Amino acid sequence: MSTQEFLAQFELNDTDVYMTTDSGTPIDESVSLKAGLRGPTLLEDFIFRQKLQRFDHERIPERPVHARGAGAYGVFTSYGNFSNITAASFLSEAGKQTPMFTRMSTVIGERGSTDSARDVHGLATRFYTDEGNFDIVGINVPIFFINDAILFPDLIHALKPQPNNQIPQAATAHDTAYDFFSQETSALNLVMMVMAGYGVPRSYRHMDGWGVHTYRLVTNEGATKLVKWSWKSLQGKASFLWEEAQAVGGKNSDFHRQDLWNAIEAGIYPEWELGVQIFDEDQQLAFGFDVLDDTKFIPEEVVPITPLGRMTLNANPQNYFAETEQIGFQPGHIVRGIDFSDDPVLQGRLYSYLDAQLNRYGGPNFEQAPINRPRVPIHNNNRDGKAQTYIPTNIAAYSPNTLNFGSPMEANQTTGKGFFTAPRYVSGELTRELSPTFADHWSQPRLVWNSLSPAEQQIVVNALRFETSHVVSTAVKQNFINQLNRIDNDLAVRVAQVLVDVTVPPPDTTYYNNNQTAYISIFSNPLPIIQGLNFGILASIYSNQSMSQAATLSQQFADLGLFVSVVAETLIQGVNLTYSAADAIDFDGLLVTPGSESIFINGTSPLYPLGRPLQIVQNAYDFGKPVGALGSASTVFQTAKIIDGPGVYFSNSTTTLLTDFEAGLKTFKFLDRFPLDPGY
Ligand code: HDD
C-alpha cells in the first residue's frame, strides 16, 4: 500500500457536506442557543458546549526539546542487498522502497520560536519498514553535548530561557548556558561545531544528519559490526552568516519550514544519502577515544562512509497537528538486524522518548495515530487504555494460552523473523561513574578548530564573541575562556579581546594537536546543485527596459531550477514581490536590471520604506551572497559602495551572467568579503 493509500483511510473530506457534531448530528453551530433574542446562553446548548470544549482541549504539551520543526513524507530506496552486514529487511535488495516520514527541528526554541535560531538541528527519520517502524532520531552534527543521559535535564535547564524571566528565547547567549558549557566540558566539541556554521543552516535541505551514537548491525546469522549512521544532504551543506540568520529570524520565523514546503510543492524533492561508518567490535577504543562516548566523532578519513541508500522527501503533510506534531519518534523503535550499543546516552534515551510520548498524548495508545501506525499489522496482548481505537477480538490476552491456540506466538531469531538481541558480553561491578576513556574533552574541539579555514575560524571567533558578550557573570566568562584556552590559545585570546574583564592564562597545551579532517568545513565546499535556491531580479515598473529585461531574465534563471522573484514597486503583471515586502534574506543571489538605476540612487518613494532597494543590494552583499547587474545597472553597485570582486558579477551578456551566477550560487558564500582579525 502506498503512503497516499494508507493515509487516505484516515482522511476527513469536508467537501459539499453539512456540519455535524462529533457524534454525527447535523447542526448549525454559527450562533448559540439563548433564552430570548437578547437573553443568556443556555447550559442546554450541547452544540455550544462541544464546540468550546473541543477548542479548549486543542493543545497537547509541546515537545520538551525540539518543539519547533517541520516534516515531510518520503521514500527510502536501498542501493543493494546488505544482508552481509544486517538482517534489516529495508536493506535487503537493490531498489527496495520503504515509506518514510522525516521531521527536522531546532532544539531549544519553543513551538512558536524562529527557525533560524542558532542551535543544533534535529533530523529524525522514520522508516515504515515491512518488519515494523525503525527510527533514526538524529541531529545535524555527529556528536552530542553530554556523555551520560542523566545530565540531559541539566543541559536543557541550562540552555532553555532563564527560569526567572524566560529570557532569552531559542538562544544559548546567556549565563546559564555558558556556565554549563564551561563546567560540563564534554559539551565543548558540539559548541565549536555549532559556532562554525552548523547552528545556522541555510535550510533543512542543506544539512546532513547523524545518528550520533554507535549502533550495531546484526546479520541473520548473528554476526555483528558497529556503525555510526549518517545522512548526507545531496543538496550539499550550506549555512547562513550570523547577521543574516538574525535578519531571517526577525523577518520570517518560518523560513526553514517554508523552504522545505515550497521545494516539495515545486517537485524539487530534497534527498539524503544514508550511509554508515562500519567498524569491528574490537575497535571500540581504536580511534583514540571511546566509541561509546557520543561527544566524539570518527573522522571520515579514518572510517569512510559506506552508502546504503537514498531518502527522497516527496510529499508535504496535509495537517500539521495530525502528522508533524503527533509523530512520536523513539530511538527504541528498532527492527530486526539493528541493535543498540552501551553508549550511556543512548541507553537513557531508550527510556526518555517513550515517557515523553506518554506525557504528550496522555495515554499509551499513541502508536495508533495514523502517523505512528506501522504499515504492518500489530499483534500483542497490550490492552485498553485511553483512546483505544482497535477492537481486539482475542479473549486470551495473555501468553502462554491454549484458548487462542498459543497466538500471538513469540517470534525470535529462528521463528517468525523476530527481533533478536545480538549477544554482547557485559560484566562489571555496579558503579556510578564514567569510564576514564570518556575523559578527553579538548582534543576533538581542537581538531574541529584546526579543520576550519581562516575565514571560518573568524566566524567561530565572532560567534563566541557574540555569545559570551551576552554573559553577565565574570566568573562564567572566565571559566569559559579557560576552557577555550585548552582548545587553542589564539582562540581564547581573540574571544577574550571583547570581554576585557577576563584574563587568558598561558597556553594550556595538554590537548593541543595538529589533527585535521576535510569533512567539517561547511563553507569550503561548493554545493553540488542549486535547484530550489531563491533568486531576486530587482526591477522598476517605471522603466520599460527594466521590466522587459526582468521578464526575460526571470525565465532564464527559473530554467536553472531556481525560485525567481521579480521585485518592483507594485504587483503589476510580471512582478511577484514588492520593495515593501522584499528583503535580502529572500534571495540566495540577486541581479539588478538596467533602467531601474534611479530607484537605487534616489531611493525615495512613497511605495517603499526609505532607501529599501539599495539596502537590499547592500545587505545581500554583506550576507556574502552572489550579486550582480546587467549592463548599465552596475552603477548601482558604485552607489552601494560595493567593489568588484569574487561573487560580484557585471556583464552586458545575460549568458555570461547565467554562467557566473550558477557558479556563484554553488560557492554560496563569499567569505573573502569579511575582515579577519589583524595577523590572521
Ligand atoms: Fe532527544 C526529542 C535528538 C539526546 C530526550 N531528540 C528529540 C528529537 C531529536 C532528538 C531529533 C526530536 C524528534 C522529533 O522530531 O519529534 N536527542 C537527540 C539526539 C540525542 C538526544 C541526537 C543525542 C545523541 N534526547 C537526548 C537525551 C534525552 C533526550 C539524552 C533524555 C535523556 N529528545 C528527548 C525527549 C524528546 C526528544 C525529551 C522530546 C520529544 C520527544 O522526545 O519525542 O524525549
Side-chain angles (χ1 to χ4, degrees):
M1 198 190 290
S2 71
T3 295
Q4 278 67 26
E5 284 166 346
F6 178 80
L7 295 170
Q9 44 181 336
F10 303 104
E11 282 167 15
L12 275 182
N13 183 344
D14 289 338
T15 315
D16 200 21
V17 291
Y18 285 106
M19 190 78 75
T20 72
T21 59
D22 281 344
S23 44
T25 307
I27 48 162
D28 174 353
E29 45 85 272
S30 64
V31 63
S32 61
L33 181 71
K34 302 175 195 73
L37 254 188
R38 300 179 54 250
T41 301
L42 296 176
L43 183 61
E44 174 190 321
D45 190 353
F46 68 100
I47 299 174
F48 169 87
R49 277 188 284 113
Q50 184 178 80
K51 187 170 177 183
L52 269 282
Q53 173 255 319
R54 286 303 307 262
F55 173 76
D56 292 343
H57 291 257
E58 277 177 7
R59 302 282 172 270
I60 61 170
E62 65 175 34
R63 292 170 175 83
V65 287
H66 297 266
R68 183 163 180 84
Y73 291 96
V75 64
F76 176 80
T77 311
S78 177
Y79 286 160
N81 171 355
F82 296 101
S83 55
N84 59 330
I85 47 169
T86 174
S89 69
F90 73 102
L91 292 168
S92 63
E93 61 185 272
K96 180 162 182 175
Q97 298 208 316
T98 300
M100 297 195 70
F101 191 89
T102 291
R103 181 175 180 272
M104 281 88 118
S105 50
T106 49
V107 179
I108 297 304
E110 290 163 10
R111 190 148 59 190
S113 56
T114 181
D115 282 347
S116 67
R118 177 150 50 208
D119 203 348
V120 182
H121 285 62
L123 190 137
T125 48
R126 165 163 305 162
F127 302 74
Y128 299 93
T129 88
D130 52 16
E131 294 187 352
N133 289 353
F134 170 52
D135 295 350
I136 303 178
V137 195
I139 47 179
N140 71 329
V141 287
I143 47 175
F144 199 55
F145 289 101
I146 47 171
N147 46 28
D148 189 330
I150 204 167
L151 295 176
F152 193 68
D154 302 290
L155 168 74
I156 302 305
H157 289 170
L159 269 52
K160 284 270 186 184
Q162 300 209 169
N164 50 350
N165 52 18
Q166 283 291 288
I167 298 174
Q169 177 58 237
T172 50
H174 58 117
D175 283 58
T176 54
Y178 278 81
D179 195 15
F180 186 81
F181 296 152
S182 59
Q183 299 303 309
E184 182 47 53
T185 45
S186 60
L188 292 170
N189 208 10
L190 194 141
V191 171
M192 286 294 286
M193 290 191 76
V194 166
M195 299 304 149
Y198 286 85
V200 281
R202 151 63 175 79
S203 65
Y204 292 140
R205 294 183 299 132
H206 290 94
M207 58 187 207
D208 290 346
W210 293 88
V212 177
H213 310 287
T214 296
Y215 284 83
R216 267 190 178 76
L217 294 185
V218 192
T219 66
N220 239 337
E221 294 70 40
T224 62
K225 292 272 185 196
L226 299 177
V227 291
K228 297 263 191 184
W229 295 106
S230 129
W231 288 109
K232 290 272 183 211
S233 164
L234 297 182
Q235 292 67 241
K237 275 187 297 195
S239 284
F240 289 133
L241 299 181
W242 179 229
E243 287 62 33
E244 182 185 11
Q246 290 174 93
V248 170
K251 300 266 181 176
N252 184 359
S253 296
D254 308 305
F255 191 94
H256 289 341
R257 184 176 285 197
Q258 197 165 47
D259 173 274
L260 181 68
W261 182 275
N262 289 351
I264 292 174
E265 288 300 297
I268 302 172
Y269 297 143
E271 295 194 301
W272 283 260
E273 187 167 78
L274 178 70
V276 271
Q277 290 178 297
I278 309 182
F279 47 100
D280 291 327
E281 295 277 353
D282 62 9
Q283 286 182 295
Q284 300 204 17
L285 297 171
F287 308 115
F289 54 86
D290 195 327
V291 297
L292 299 183
D293 173 0
D294 71 350
T295 67
K296 311 280 170 33
F297 63 92
I298 309 176
E300 289 174 52
E301 290 90 347
V302 178
V303 181
I305 290 176
T306 305
L308 299 177
R310 180 178 290 207
M311 165 172 78
T312 308
L313 296 185
N314 55 15
N316 280 314
Q318 301 198 68
N319 183 287
Y320 185 89
F321 179 83
E323 296 162 279
T324 311
E325 192 63 13
Q326 288 209 111
I327 191 162
F329 291 98
Q330 289 187 44
H333 283 155
I334 200 151
V335 289
R336 177 185 169 87
I338 299 166
D339 207 350
F340 309 115
S341 72
D342 298 335
D343 175 335
V345 174
L346 175 58
Q347 292 286 320
R349 292 178 77 194
L350 296 177
Y351 161 73
S352 184
Y353 287 67
L354 176 58
D355 192 39
Q357 307 317 341
L358 285 171
N359 181 48
R360 296 186 67 230
Y361 289 80
N365 286 317
F366 55 84
E367 299 286 20
Q368 297 179 20
I371 191 68
N372 289 329
R373 281 187 188 216
R375 303 298 162 81
V376 287
I378 61 143
H379 302 285
N380 57 44
N381 297 327
N382 300 335
R383 285 293 186 274
D384 307 345
K386 277 187 193 165
Q388 166 66 275
T389 61
Y390 292 116
I391 305 176
T393 56
N394 168 18
I395 60 156
Y398 50 85
S399 295
N401 71 62
T402 52
L403 293 181
N404 203 45
F405 308 103
S407 182
M409 296 164 283
E410 308 293 349
N412 57 38
Q413 186 170 359
T414 47
T415 317
K417 290 193 96 182
F419 177 84
F420 59 97
T421 297
R424 60 184 197 265
Y425 180 75
V426 178
S427 170
E429 288 180 5
L430 298 188
T431 174
R432 199 173 274 284
E433 58 187 337
L434 263 190
S435 165
T437 51
F438 286 31
D440 171 3
H441 300 165
W442 299 272
S443 299
Q444 277 218 338
R446 169 88 182 187
L447 161 74
V448 171
W449 173 250
N450 292 344
S451 305
L452 303 174
S453 68
E456 289 175 309
Q457 290 186 336
Q458 188 69 46
I459 286 175
V460 172
V461 169
N462 295 350
L464 287 173
R465 283 175 178 165
F466 174 95
E467 298 266 311
T468 52
S469 296
H470 285 81
V471 173
V472 177
S473 158
T474 303
V476 169
K477 283 185 267 191
Q478 184 63 59
N479 288 340
F480 189 68
I481 291 295
N482 294 348
Q483 294 306 335
L484 288 185
N485 188 47
R486 302 178 84 178
I487 300 170
D488 186 273
N489 178 255
D490 278 355
L491 171 62
V493 169
R494 288 166 74 181
V495 174
Q497 233 169 27
V498 300
L499 301 179
V500 301
D501 57 345
V502 297
T503 51
V504 182
D508 181 345
T509 58
T510 319
Y511 296 95
Y512 289 3
N513 63 70
N514 296 322
N515 300 339
Q516 287 190 357
T517 168
Y519 294 88
I520 290 294
S521 167
I522 293 178
F523 295 93
S524 310
N525 301 311
L527 296 179
I529 57 167
I530 59 169
Q531 278 76 14
L533 295 183
N534 300 327
F535 196 76
I537 294 175
L538 307 194
S540 172
I541 59 167
Y542 299 112
S543 159
N544 290 339
Q545 183 198 10
S546 165
M547 290 309 292
S548 78
Q549 291 285 9
T552 317
L553 288 163
S554 166
Q555 190 54 54
Q556 289 170 323
F557 277 88
D559 288 345
L560 295 177
L562 300 169
F563 291 116
V564 181
S565 299
V566 172
V567 192
E569 294 87 343
T570 67
L571 288 172
I572 64 165
Q573 204 190 350
V575 178
N576 36 20
L577 200 57
T578 62
Y579 285 113
S580 304
D583 197 274
I585 64 143
D586 295 318
F587 317 115
D588 295 298
L590 62 78
L591 177 59
V592 185
T593 53
S596 66
E597 294 88 343
S598 66
I599 64 165
F600 295 92
I601 289 157
N602 302 324
T604 53
S605 159
L607 291 177
Y608 45 76
L610 186 65
R612 175 63 65 79
L614 190 67
Q615 188 194 15
I616 292 176
V617 175
Q618 279 166 332
N619 286 352
Y621 179 85
D622 290 347
F623 295 158
K625 299 171 194 264
V627 290
L630 179 64
S632 60
S634 60
T635 54
V636 169
F637 287 77
Q638 287 153 23
T639 311
K641 299 200 168 46
I642 294 172
I643 43 164
D644 203 351
V648 181
Y649 307 121
F650 303 140
S651 177
N652 293 326
S653 149
T654 53
T655 323
T656 308
L657 285 171
L658 277 164
T659 317
D660 285 345
F661 271 106
E662 206 176 346
L665 288 165
K666 283 186 174 167
T667 302
F668 201 70
K669 290 291 175 207
F670 291 88
L671 297 186
D672 49 287
R673 289 177 197 167
F674 306 104
L676 301 181
D677 285 347
Y680 296 94

